[in-house]
Amino acid sequence: MTIDANLDTDLVEVSPGGEASCRLEVRNGGPIVESYVIEMLGEPAGWASVEPPTVSVYPGSAESVAVRFHPPRSARVVAGERPFAVRVTPTETPDAQVVPEGTVRVLPFAEIAPEILPRTSRGRWGGRHELSVANRGNVPLGLTMTGSDPDNRLNVAIRPPQVTVAPGATEFVRVRARPRRLLWRGHPVTVPFQVGVTSDDTPPATLDAATVQEPLLPRGLARVVAALLVLALIGVGLWYALLRPTVKSLAEEAAQEQVAPVAQQARAADARAQQADSKAQQAVDAVAPAAVSPLPTPSTRVPPPSPTPGAGVPAIPAGADSFSRRLSVTAGAGTTRTDRYTVAARRVFVLTDIFLQNPQGDEGRLDLVVDGTTVLTVALNNFRDLDYHLVSPIEVPAGRVISLRATCRRAGTALDGAGGGGGRCRDFALLNGYNRPAGPARG
């Protein structure tokens, strides 16, 4: 063999976003000047180079070539060892090529991009949020989420509190902020809180959010109660001033009509009694006196009227549950990407509100597709934040799919700490509404 090629090391370590190199020595053992073509083989060939790629070597001498590795700082290049090879091919005798081999070790790096949406929620019993954590590093990360309230006015619950995120993936967790005390009346109160994201490999990240606690009793309830009291007092006054005298007069007339026959019979009985007394006195005068026992006087009693009972109807509670879902799409320039949500079995998702976000100011097109039908199409360069409140909600049956499709024409500027950028559009849609059991809608 007239060619000999050797690497100066079998293992090269390199950090993502950095550069490392080794030397390749090519020796010509033939009798003529030979030109050699040098090529990288294996997975690292996409982020490695050879300088120079072609070298001429005199007989009996050697030349040195630099093999450089420069992997990008991206989750696509996972940490670990990868074999590589360098193929050295003589231009005069191509069949006499040699392929020395080595190993490149990509060192790990960790980076996360957390985000909480919505930033501010509203409700009488608390607010609901969604926390997304994207792993921008090249190793899996175990993350722990905690909630805190500086004034101890909220109970912040995170489900699940711990997740493991693969390189390049994004995990979503639910955040519920409940007030420790109810607000019965008055003005709404804004209560801030924080969500912390920690891991063993990254600095802790803190996200600020807030919930607006609304009073249980509406502000106009006092006026309604006062108006009802005034109407009640007016009704009582009308009863005593107009209706009560009329009812009393009618009752007296009816009583007199019922008592008149009885009084007439009583007067006739009194007359007959007087006649009997007169005859009895005459008999006493004629015969010996005798003991006479008096007759009892009958009495009458009118039973009181019995009251009439009433009845009430209990209120029937609603059977629906509040629900929200966030769709996230990341697309390179000139490409189209889609994120999907499938409605759970035996449920119907009633969509009432749609919130669109274009935080980078991307240019392109955004489509919201429900069960294969495009219900909303907007141009990305026309908005940063856009919300729709549907007068007629959209009902999506179980098993049907809601899709967010983004066509990226040009990516905007990435926000600090929010990820994205690098020629990629990053857009979102938050779907709000409620879930109800499949079947007829219940009120």
Side-chain angles (χ1 to χ4, degrees):
M1 180 180 291
T2 61
I3 179 177
D4 185 22
N6 297 287
L7 294 168
D8 63 349
T9 179
D10 294 332
L11 177 64
V12 180
E13 290 188 348
V14 61
S15 298
E19 182 177 311
S21 63
C22 63
R23 306 296 297 182
L24 173 68
E25 184 181 80
V26 180
R27 180 173 297 278
N28 184 3
I32 62 173
V33 176
E34 186 68 82
S35 179
Y36 301 95
V37 178
I38 304 172
E39 302 174 90
M40 286 293 300
L41 303 177
E43 181 184 348
W47 33 269
S49 60
V50 178
E51 297 179 3
T54 302
V55 63
S56 297
V57 184
Y58 287 95
S61 63
E63 291 291 338
S64 180
V65 177
V67 180
R68 304 185 185 279
F69 300 92
H70 37 80
R73 188 178 177 85
S74 170
R76 294 192 300 269
V77 182
V78 182
E81 295 184 355
R82 293 168 175 79
F84 71 93
V86 183
R87 182 166 58 195
V88 182
T89 306
T91 57
E92 297 296 332
T93 56
D95 295 337
Q97 63 182 357
V98 294
V99 184
E101 298 179 352
T103 302
V104 59
R105 178 182 296 162
V106 179
L107 299 178
F109 80 97
E111 181 181 340
I112 60 173
E115 185 178 9
I116 187 169
L117 289 175
R119 188 64 59 87
T120 302
S121 61
R122 303 181 68 91
R124 292 181 174 88
W125 309 97
R128 298 177 183 270
H129 303 256
E130 187 176 50
L131 174 65
S132 65
V133 184
N135 183 1
R136 305 302 183 196
N138 63 352
V139 291
L141 293 178
L143 303 177
T144 301
M145 280 69 67
T146 58
S148 62
D149 170 21
D151 299 325
N152 198 27
R153 299 171 62 181
L154 295 175
N155 182 15
V156 182
I158 300 177
R159 296 292 182 273
Q162 295 179 339
V163 295
T164 299
V165 188
T170 302
E171 292 290 336
F172 298 90
V173 297
R174 293 174 296 173
V175 180
R176 181 71 185 272
R178 284 181 173 272
R180 297 184 183 273
R181 294 184 179 180
L182 297 178
L183 180 64
W184 290 99
R185 60 187 180 88
H187 296 278
V189 177
T190 301
V191 185
F193 66 94
Q194 294 179 332
V195 175
V197 182
T198 59
S199 71
D200 296 336
D201 302 313
T202 61
T206 302
L207 301 175
D208 294 320
T211 182
V212 179
Q213 184 182 6
E214 297 180 344
L216 295 177
L217 302 179
R219 296 182 59 183
L221 183 62
R223 297 179 181 178
V224 174
V225 173
L228 293 177
L229 289 177
V230 171
L231 292 176
L233 292 176
I234 293 175
V236 172
L238 291 176
W239 164 260
Y240 280 99
L242 300 177
L243 298 178
R244 188 171 181 271
T246 303
V247 173
K248 183 177 181 181
S249 176
L250 293 176
E252 290 177 352
E253 292 178 359
Q256 289 177 1
E257 291 178 357
Q258 295 179 359
V259 172
V262 178
Q264 185 176 0
Q265 295 176 3
R267 287 193 296 268
D270 288 342
R272 291 193 294 269
Q274 291 178 1
Q275 293 177 2
D277 289 341
S278 176
K279 293 179 179 180
Q281 187 62 38
Q282 293 176 2
V284 169
D285 294 339
V287 298
V292 180
S293 60
L295 297 176
T297 302
S299 62
T300 61
R301 174 179 299 175
V302 180
S306 59
T308 302
V313 180
I316 300 177
D321 298 324
S322 177
F323 182 78
S324 63
R325 181 72 180 188
R326 183 171 185 261
L327 301 180
S328 172
V329 179
T330 301
T335 63
T336 300
R337 293 293 184 269
T338 302
D339 191 11
R340 299 176 177 85
Y341 163 65
T342 302
V343 180
R346 298 188 295 278
R347 306 294 289 180
V348 175
F349 178 37
V350 181
L351 178 60
T352 60
D353 301 278
I354 303 172
F355 300 91
L356 303 179
Q357 284 192 315
N358 178 17
Q360 298 183 165
D362 303 326
E363 295 183 7
R365 172 175 171 172
L366 200 63
D367 297 296
L368 185 66
V369 182
V370 178
D371 193 23
T373 302
T374 302
V375 299
L376 182 63
T377 299
V378 293
L380 289 173
N381 50 320
N382 288 341
F383 73 98
R384 286 296 184 95
D385 295 283
L386 190 61
D387 62 311
Y388 293 91
H389 305 282
L390 305 181
V391 177
S392 299
I394 300 174
E395 294 193 0
V396 186
R400 303 299 173 85
V401 178
I402 303 176
S403 303
L404 179 67
R405 183 173 60 218
T407 301
C408 179
R409 183 163 62 86
R410 188 179 70 85
T413 304
L415 301 178
D416 293 340
R424 294 180 300 166
C425 296
R426 192 162 185 257
D427 306 292
F428 310 91
L430 180 64
L431 309 178
N432 281 345
Y434 59 88
N435 273 331
R436 64 174 178 81
R442 296 178 295 175

